[in-house]
Amino acid sequence: MNSVAMICAHRWEADPFLKIADMSAYQAPQFPFPVFRNEQGSFLILSGQGYLRTAAAVSAFLSHHGNDVQAVGNFGVAGAAPGDWSVGQPVLLNKVVDHSTGKSYFPERQLPSPWAETWSDCRPTPVKAVPVGRKATAKTSSL
């Protein structure tokens, strides 16, 4: 099967996607993260916040379903993305700065996109909370 797996940190981020993709809870044996699946065979995994949890969720999922999955994607709020973004506005990350290593990564993109592009800080712990309803800006989302 050539399905797609999407990774997301929080249920509130995933809810609109779960509804549109008609996904329901999927019982993955001995799997420590919540998983959802639709009739077309696509998956959504909730990893929790942070790149370490995301890496653990992707690794665990692919160890069980790697032969069934053609592509893996990550989506979410990206709270450290600088800019003045509207709620629900999609942006594409063209650079990720890992502050624990000091390295920058440039995600490979296979398809063109009309979405605005930005970069994101990647830190093992949250830097600063932004009150609900307030837009994150470069000043509030990174040091």
Side-chain angles (χ1 to χ4, degrees), residues 82-100:
D84 194 17
W85 312 111
S86 300
V87 172
Q89 178 183 356
V91 295
L92 204 57
L93 296 181
N94 57 18
K95 176 182 176 182
V96 178
V97 179
D98 182 344
H99 284 274
S100 64

Side-chain angles (χ1 to χ4, degrees), residues 2-59:
N2 291 324
S3 61
V4 173
M6 298 299 294
I7 310 296
C8 184
H10 303 288
R11 176 68 188 250
W12 57 267
E13 293 172 304
D15 276 341
F17 186 84
L18 293 172
K19 185 176 180 179
I20 290 168
D22 195 26
M23 293 186 151
S24 57
Y26 171 72
Q27 292 296 331
Q30 300 178 343
F31 193 72
F33 299 94
V35 179
F36 299 84
R37 187 174 184 181
N38 64 14
E39 289 182 12
Q40 291 75 30
S42 292
F43 296 91
L44 185 139
I45 301 97
L46 295 178
S47 65
Q49 186 171 327
Y51 64 88
L52 296 176
R53 291 185 60 90
T54 300
V58 170
S59 296

